[in-house]
Amino acid sequence: MKTEAAEIIREYGPFPGIDCVHGVSYDGSQVWFATGTQLQALDPDSGRIVRSIPVPGDAGTAFDGRHLFQIANDRIQKIDLSTGHVLATIPAPGGGGDAGDSGMAWAEGSLWVGQYHGRKIHQIDPDTGAVLRTLESNRFVTGVSWVDGQLWHGTWEEGQSDLRRLDPDSGAVLQRLEMPAGTGVSGLESDGGDRFFCGGGESGRIRAVRRPRQTQQP
């Protein structure tokens, strides 16, 4: 397993009226992040918030190419990106319980949902919420991201965070990017290139972390 320091290449925020960043996603041009009562769209070039959708969200955010998915307590909402309307809901795998649903990503026609205290990542059916597969972690799981066939997740435990690349079949840790001390990761998503966008929890910030070139190969 390769371990190296995470390279933070840009920091966004804090933003007026926003005191916490939960889930983070990316729609190809804008970074979407959940703030508890709204989804906010950030232009990563200008650093400005360019749109808001009034839907509750206290954990992971994902984008399937057409829709946003947002965890709110014990449910996952499917949101029309153009109108902001909630089209459907399914149960979150943690049920809003002590295990704590956390990050979320879209890949291979499924949603991948982290459980914070449960230290797990579930692959679930986006139409029914049925759990299809579960990977175990040895750290509290925060954000989840898929990029170039690679599964990554954030951790945040005892004041320390890192980004981890997993073997998507076994769950074995293949690579770690260690965040600076005191810098937590709540949400996580890739831009499909060389950046990860990381929610900073109660700091109210979003940080762009460079994805190492060598991670292009498994």
Side-chain angles (χ1 to χ4, degrees):
M1 177 181 64
K2 184 174 183 179
T3 300
E4 58 192 292
E7 181 186 353
I8 298 174
I9 55 179
R10 186 166 178 180
E11 190 168 281
Y12 304 92
F15 306 98
I18 295 173
D19 57 12
C20 195
V21 175
H22 301 291
V24 176
S25 194
Y26 184 71
D27 69 3
S29 61
Q30 297 170 344
V31 179
W32 287 89
F33 62 102
T35 62
T37 59
Q38 292 187 319
L39 272 168
Q40 308 280 357
L42 170 73
D43 179 339
D45 295 325
S46 69
R48 296 178 180 174
I49 292 177
V50 295
R51 186 181 171 195
S52 298
I53 298 176
V55 294
D58 54 14
T61 310
F63 179 65
D64 71 353
R66 294 182 56 199
H67 309 96
L68 287 166
F69 292 83
Q70 178 59 53
I71 297 174
N73 193 19
D74 63 350
R75 67 190 188 280
I76 299 172
Q77 305 161 103
K78 182 178 182 180
I79 301 162
D80 186 306
L81 186 59
S82 61
T83 66
H85 295 159
V86 176
L87 303 177
T89 62
I90 57 174
D98 291 340
D101 296 293
S102 54
M104 183 165 58
W106 175 271
E108 302 176 343
S110 298
L111 289 169
W112 297 75
V113 182
Q115 280 194 284
Y116 183 64
H117 288 107
R119 302 185 184 192
K120 297 176 182 178
I121 299 173
H122 301 290
Q123 179 186 5
I124 71 169
D125 185 308
D127 296 319
T128 67
V131 175
L132 307 175
R133 189 156 69 95
T134 298
L135 297 173
E136 303 281 345
S137 175
N138 62 0
R139 294 275 290 174
F140 290 166
V141 175
T142 57
V144 181
S145 179
W146 275 88
V147 54
D148 292 339
Q150 299 173 356
L151 174 60
W152 289 78
H153 78 87
T155 76
W156 195 346
E157 190 170 350
E158 297 179 347
Q160 297 181 329
S161 276
D162 61 15
L163 307 182
R164 296 185 169 202
R165 179 165 66 96
L166 305 183
D167 181 311
D169 295 317
S170 69
V173 181
L174 304 176
Q175 185 172 11
R176 293 175 58 237
L177 305 180
E178 294 184 335
M179 296 293 284
T183 304
V185 174
S186 51
L188 174 67
E189 185 57 288
S190 166
D191 68 350
D194 63 356
R195 292 178 297 181
F196 286 115
F197 294 107
C198 303
E202 293 181 355
S203 72
R205 300 176 186 271
I206 294 172
R207 299 176 177 93
V209 171
R210 189 178 305 281
R211 183 165 69 103
R213 289 179 181 271
Q214 60 265 33
T215 67
Q216 297 291 336
Q217 299 296 326

